[in-house]
Structures are given as C-alpha cells and as structure tokens.
C-alpha cells in the first residue's frame, strides 16, 4: 500500500525526513504523531507527490510524482490548514465531483451528516466560511468518495462534539475498505481511531507500535457528573461538550473515541468534581 525506502527530504541544510524506511499495509489505521517540526506534514506532502525527495516511495503501487493525477483520484485528503480558495462552495463541490467522477450530491449528504447544510452556504466563497464549516466541507469531499487511502491531517480539530461523533461514524463505515493515515501532534486525539502508532521525531521513526483495536468508532458513552459547587469554567466546558445541568448534576453523551479527550478536559477541573460515571452504550 505505502512503501518508503531511504526517503530523505531536505530544505537547504535542514533535513526534515531522514532516511525513512516504512511499510503500511492495506487496511491499517495508522496514527502519525509527533511535535510540530517532526516531519509529519512533509511526509504527507511526499506521499501526495507535492515534493521531490531522495530515496524510493510508492503509494498504491504508484510513484507519487510520476503518477500524481491517478494517485489523487484514489486518495481522500483532509489538510490541516484549509486552502484559501475563493471559489464558491457550490463551485468547489462541482469541481471536486468532476475530479473524482462523483455526483456532488454525495458530498452534500456527507456534509449534512456532519451538521452542515450546504444549500445555505453554497453561494459563499469557501474562504469566507468559519473554520468548522471549512473542515466539514473538506471532510465531506474526502469521505464522499470511494477511495482506497485516506490521509487526514488533524481532521477533527475544528469540529464540534456532534460533528466529531458523525465523523467517527463515517470512518467506521470505511473499516476494512480503506487504509487510513491520521496525523496529529497529540496521541489522545487519535489513539481510539487507529490500530498502529508511528511517532516521528526530527524526521525519523522513533516509535512504531500496535495498539488495542477495541473501541467502536460509532459508539457512544453516557456521562453523569456531579460537581462540588457551581463554577462557570467547568459549566462552560461541559456545555460545549453537549452536556446539560440539573443543579450540580450534569448528564449527556459523548462519542466513544472522544473518551480520552473528555477525561483530559475533566482533569483540569478535578477539584470541582465529586463523582464521574461513564457508561458505554451498546
């Protein structure tokens, strides 16, 4: 599926990818983690054929530079930073549909599942949308295609909790049908989504490990929290997660893969919490 042999990428005197050897098999779900500057985005751009490099690289049996047009038809990509496209949302969806030989209505269906009705924004320039709307459009274009490889760079960073749950459900529908490479600088953001973790540091793989593959991507967790006292900061945080209050008791559901993020948020307010109850829903 993806093969790298002695891949090196250098910008002037700075070595960003340092003699990488790597294999990713079909069907794997791989977290690509590392601090800013570790080489994650450079590696992704090499996989997509954007950069020349030393060494040999093959994606889906193709050389990404020589067969870039064919490769991009078979890859769904969500960038970390949305491109500053001035075309309207409607034109962007039509253009993406032509490139992928897909009916743009499919992208609109996926966007609706993420909570975005494209009919309300299709006349607006893409660049004028909010960060969350841009992310939903880009995810819809990537997941609205029958691609063999998904490359997702911080894909859920700007999504609200409900949209994140829908996004995880969309990924669950691709299990066994698509290989996934999901980049993040935080393992807790992506650990529940993957079955393998690759960590880059200074352009080298410093960790390559298999992880437990037992979290239902489309699952929900029912939460019940009891606070010691009312406090505005945690109330705001819980409301942003979609929980609601009855006095000092907060209840609601979160997406199963978000449990680590949710617990990390709660850790900031541990002095205010007297009871935490999490129950996985069937």
């Amino acid at each position: 599926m993806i093969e790298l042999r002695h891949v090196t990428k250098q910008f002037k005197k700075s070595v960003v990818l340092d003699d990488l050897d790597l294999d990713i098999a079909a069907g794997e779900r791989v977290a690509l983690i590392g601090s800013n500057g570790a080489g994650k985005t450079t590696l992704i751009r090499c996989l997509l054929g954007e950069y020349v490099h030393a060494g040999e690289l093959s994606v889906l049996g193709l050389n990404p530079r020589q067969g870039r047009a064919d490769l991009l038809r078979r890859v769904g990509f969500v960038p970390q930073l949305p491109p500053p496209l001035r075309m309207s949302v409607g034109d962007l969806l039509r253009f993406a549909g032509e490139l992928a030989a897909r009916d743009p209505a499919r992208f609109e269906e996926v966007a609706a599942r993420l909570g975005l009705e494209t009919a309300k924004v299709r006349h607006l320039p893409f660049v004028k949308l909010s960060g969350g709307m841009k992310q939903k459009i880009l995810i819809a274009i990537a997941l609205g295609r029958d691609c063999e490889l998904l490359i997702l760079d911080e894909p859920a960073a700007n999504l609200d909790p409900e949209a994140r749950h829908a996004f995880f459900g969309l990924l669950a529908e691709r299990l066994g049908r698509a290989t996934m490479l999901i980049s993040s600088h935080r393992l807790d953001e992506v650990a529940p989504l993957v079955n393998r973790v690759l960590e880059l540091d200074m352009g080298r793989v410093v960790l390559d490990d298999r992880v437990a593959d037992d979290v239902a991507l489309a699952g929900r967790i029912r939460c019940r929290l009891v606070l010691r006292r009312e406090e505005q900061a945690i109330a705001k945080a819980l409301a942003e997660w979609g929980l609601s209050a009855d006095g000092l008791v907060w209840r609601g559901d979160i997406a199963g893969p978000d449990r680590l993020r949710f617990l990390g948020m709660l850790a900031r307010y541990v002095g205010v919490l007297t009871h935490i109850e999490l129950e996985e829903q069937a």
Side-chain angles (χ1 to χ4, degrees):
M1 172 63 74
I2 297 176
E3 297 180 0
L4 289 82
R5 296 291 178 266
H6 305 293
V7 170
T8 298
K9 178 59 184 175
Q10 188 169 334
F11 296 100
K12 296 183 178 179
K13 295 184 178 180
S14 177
V15 178
V16 183
L17 299 179
D18 189 1
D19 197 34
L20 281 184
D21 281 292
L22 182 63
D23 291 278
I24 296 175
E28 287 193 298
R29 305 193 310 280
V30 180
L32 181 64
I33 64 170
S35 60
N36 291 333
K40 303 186 304 296
T41 298
T42 299
L43 174 57
I44 287 173
R45 290 181 175 177
C46 289
L47 296 177
L48 295 173
E50 295 182 27
Y51 288 160
V52 295
H53 54 80
E56 298 180 2
L57 174 56
S58 172
V59 180
L60 298 173
L62 299 170
N63 180 303
R65 292 289 294 177
Q66 298 173 3
R68 192 169 186 227
D70 290 337
L71 176 65
L72 295 182
R73 292 189 188 98
R74 301 166 63 185
V75 175
F77 173 53
V78 178
Q80 179 181 8
L81 298 176
L85 300 175
R86 298 196 174 276
M87 67 173 67
S88 70
V89 170
D91 287 343
L92 174 58
L93 295 177
R94 282 192 294 272
F95 177 70
E98 290 173 1
L99 288 180
R102 294 287 288 178
D103 186 342
R106 174 57 182 155
F107 304 146
E108 296 176 5
E109 292 171 5
V110 176
R113 289 181 59 178
L114 295 167
L116 177 63
E117 297 296 334
T118 54
K120 297 179 180 180
V121 298
R122 64 183 308 107
H123 64 288
L124 297 176
F126 177 80
V127 72
K128 296 293 186 180
L129 300 181
S130 68
M133 288 181 176
K134 291 176 183 175
Q135 198 76 348
K136 290 174 183 179
I137 292 292
L138 295 174
I139 290 173
I141 291 173
L143 299 187
R145 306 160 55 195
D146 293 325
C147 50
E148 302 165 60
L149 173 62
L150 291 171
I151 298 179
L152 312 173
D153 196 353
E154 304 278 3
N158 292 313
L159 299 182
D160 55 84
E162 279 303 310
R164 287 177 66 91
H165 178 68
F167 171 64
F168 298 144
L170 288 162
L171 290 185
E173 294 170 8
R174 294 301 187 92
L175 296 182
R177 297 194 293 118
T179 302
M180 303 180 194
L181 181 64
I182 306 175
S183 175
S184 179
H185 67 285
R186 291 178 52 182
L187 180 57
D188 65 340
E189 292 276 349
V190 294
L193 308 179
V194 302
N195 53 23
R196 182 181 175 188
V197 175
L198 291 172
E199 182 177 1
L200 289 184
D201 185 35
M202 299 182 68
R204 287 180 172 270
V205 175
V206 295
L207 173 70
D208 185 353
D209 199 9
R210 304 285 172 175
V211 297
D213 189 14
D214 58 357
V215 176
L217 293 181
R220 286 259 189 188
I221 295 177
R222 185 153 297 162
C223 308
R224 180 178 178 271
L225 311 173
V226 181
L227 306 187
R228 189 181 309 277
R229 61 182 180 273
E230 292 186 0
E231 189 167 300
Q232 185 176 1
I234 190 172
K236 180 181 178 182
L238 293 174
E240 289 175 348
W241 276 88
L243 276 67
S244 57
D246 180 6
L248 294 178
V249 179
W250 286 76
R251 294 183 176 87
D253 292 353
I254 64 169
D258 263 340
R259 72 178 75 194
L260 289 178
R261 291 184 69 249
F262 184 69
L263 290 172
M265 180 276 294
L266 292 181
R268 300 199 299 269
Y269 308 102
V270 65
V272 188
L273 291 160
T274 64
H275 180 81
I276 300 173
E277 185 177 325
L278 303 178
E279 181 183 359
E280 192 164 347
Q281 302 299 296

